[in-house]
Amino acid sequence: MSDHDQAQVHCVLSSKEFSSGAHPVWCPGCGDFGVLAALERGLAKHGRLPHEVVLVSGIGCSSRLPGYMSTYGFHGVHGRALAVASGLKLARPDLEVISVGGDGDGYSIGGNHFIHACRRNIDMLYVVMDNRVYGMTKGQPSPTTEPDWNCDIAPGGIGLRQFNPLAVAITAGANFVARGFSGDPNGLADMIVEGLRWPGFAFIEVMSPCITFRPEQTAWKKQVRPATPSIEPNRAAAAAAALTDNDLSIGVLYRGERAPIAPPAQPQITIGDIEQKFVVGV
Ligand SMILES: Cc1ncc(C[n+]2csc(CCOP(=O)(O)OP(=O)(O)O)c2C)c(N)n1
Ligand code: SF4
């Protein structure tokens, strides 16, 4: 039995052991607290030890999350979390790699990386805390903002069609696609465990209200409902369901059967090789 299997059998950690103890600077009532709780509970259930897990984020209120957990963390640059996470997972396939961030980080500046992470299908989990706004920079519209949402920089609304992350993920090739809600941390924790255990690229879009710039999102608590009956693993049907969905259904929409990218059996090139080739004077 491998070290990892043994850890899974013997390790019974509490969710508290995944907390760094640092107090989040998020506004009281921010949905991201629920996502943090769900990740702590999910990882405790999953059975990997904190030092076997790496959380990678970009920039935004939501991207601060790795600092609040006891796992390894990498708080990188805006929109580049998936690029870092992909390289890390290929170099260290033994680690549990989870990328986290916001809708601005993941669907605007990081949109290109999102599409290609789905296409590459590397075995990792991506959790987006979607509040349909740029929270950290004080309330600008994001790709998932409703066209008629009135705000200072777009009076009367931005007037643009919303980006549909679930449909994009399914059609681009992600192997597990779900929507969760921060107000249901136990349900979200179970979804996280399932995403972690499903082979390939697992994507969970989480409705996570921004209490400060989108206070009307507190209504989500009463509006969310279970997703329509499972239609997986039919990618075309799942994509059609995601396109016709009204953004308020939570559950797993797609479980695919694509084999994840296998990491190279041994490094093709070493740092020494690169230095020989490119570094002047070596
Ligand atoms: C290259 C670059 N461009 C712009 C910014 C400014 N910026 C910081 S966070 C952010 C958007 C954050 O929105 P989101 O990812 O939705 O996270 P939230 O704060 O809502 O959790 C922007 C535009 C930046 N830090 N770096
Ligand atoms: S501004 Fe919004 S997203 Fe940022 S911490 Fe406050 S409630 Fe959360």
Side-chain angles (χ1 to χ4, degrees), residues 81-152:
L82 285 171
V84 173
S86 301
L88 177 60
K89 184 65 188 183
L90 288 178
R92 289 289 308 272
D94 55 312
L95 296 175
E96 196 72 75
V97 177
I98 305 173
S99 194
V100 295
D103 42 299
D105 190 75
Y107 308 149
S108 266
I109 191 167
N112 182 17
H113 294 282
F114 176 50
I115 293 168
H116 292 285
C118 296
R119 184 173 72 90
R120 290 191 182 106
N121 198 29
I122 296 171
D123 188 22
M124 58 188 186
L125 172 67
Y126 183 34
V127 177
V128 172
M129 288 156 264
D130 190 347
N131 50 21
R132 306 182 190 179
V133 73
Y134 293 178
M136 178 169 266
T137 47
K138 301 198 181 303
Q140 300 81 17
S142 86
T144 47
T145 300
E146 301 81 348
D148 58 352
W149 182 65
N150 191 36
C151 60
D152 291 348

Side-chain angles (χ1 to χ4, degrees), residues 142-211:
S142 86
T144 47
T145 300
E146 301 81 348
D148 58 352
W149 182 65
N150 191 36
C151 60
D152 291 348
I153 66 159
I158 192 107
L160 289 175
R161 174 194 167 98
Q162 285 170 270
F163 182 79
N164 186 323
L166 298 175
V168 170
I170 294 165
T171 51
N175 224 23
F176 176 95
V177 178
R179 184 191 283 119
F181 177 45
S182 61
D184 173 25
N186 288 330
L188 183 56
D190 289 342
M191 202 178 264
I192 286 168
V193 174
E194 197 183 343
L196 286 170
R197 293 180 180 172
W198 197 263
F201 187 74
F203 166 59
I204 304 179
E205 144 92 2
V206 184
M207 300 170 67
S208 181
C210 173
I211 197 79

Side-chain angles (χ1 to χ4, degrees), residues 25-27 29-32 61-62 131 133 135-136 209-213:
V25 295
W26 295 321
C27 311
C30 175
D32 298 349
C61 300
S62 40
N131 50 21
V133 73
M136 178 169 266
C210 173
I211 197 79
T212 299
F213 296 106

